[in-house]
């Protein structure tokens, strides 16, 4: 009989979250959401908004009023989402995001 390697307990079942005020917003850290963020860096404002909607889901996206945020706040939020997706610090994610946006 062939060897069975059980990795069931190795998979993460928890989503990262971003806290704004007293509210926690889970972040979709799946590969498709991460790929949307990579594309957002070169897709302009509409690409960033689409990536944020994919990361939070339509309900949370509307609840946060993302489309009414200033561009500065959108960039802060985008860096926070990137940090949550990649399990890195906000500062490191912000530096990466700024490099990608400026390229």
């Amino acid at each position: 009989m062939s060897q069975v390697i059980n990795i069931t307990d190795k998979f993460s079942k928890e989503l990262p979250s971003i806290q704004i005020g007293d509210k926690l917003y889970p972040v979709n850290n799946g590969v498709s959401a991460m790929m949307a963020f990579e594309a957002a860096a070169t897709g302009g404002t509409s690409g960033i908004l689409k990536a944020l909607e994919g990361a939070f889901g339509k309900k949370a996206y509307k609840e946060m009023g993302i489309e009414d945020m200033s561009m500065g706040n959108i960039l802060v939020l985008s860096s926070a989402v990137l940090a949550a997706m990649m399990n890195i610090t906000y500062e490191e994610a912000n530096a990466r995001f700024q490099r990608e946006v400026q390229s």
Side-chain angles (χ1 to χ4, degrees):
M1 181 173 186
S2 62
Q3 180 181 7
V4 175
I5 301 178
N6 185 349
I7 60 170
T8 304
D9 294 337
K10 305 282 185 223
F11 286 109
S12 173
K13 296 172 181 76
E14 295 181 14
L15 289 176
S17 295
I18 291 177
Q19 184 172 351
I20 301 174
D22 293 334
K23 184 84 173 169
L24 283 177
Y25 295 97
V27 175
N28 175 0
N29 62 345
V31 172
S32 61
M34 291 184 77
M35 288 172 54
F37 260 85
E38 288 177 5
T42 58
T45 303
S46 62
I48 293 171
L49 293 176
K50 185 176 180 180
L52 288 170
E53 185 176 11
F56 289 113
K58 289 179 189 272
K59 182 180 177 189
Y61 179 87
K62 287 186 184 286
E63 182 181 306
M64 286 188 276
I66 291 174
E67 289 185 358
D68 295 324
M69 288 182 178
S70 69
M71 197 59 204
N73 286 343
I74 293 291
L75 294 176
V76 168
L77 186 59
S78 298
S79 293
V81 168
L82 183 62
M85 287 178 167
M86 299 181 74
N87 196 29
I88 59 177
T89 67
Y90 171 84
E91 291 74 20
E92 185 177 352
N94 188 47
R96 288 183 188 186
F97 189 73
Q98 294 301 323
R99 278 194 304 269
E100 289 298 319
V101 169
Q102 293 172 359
S103 298

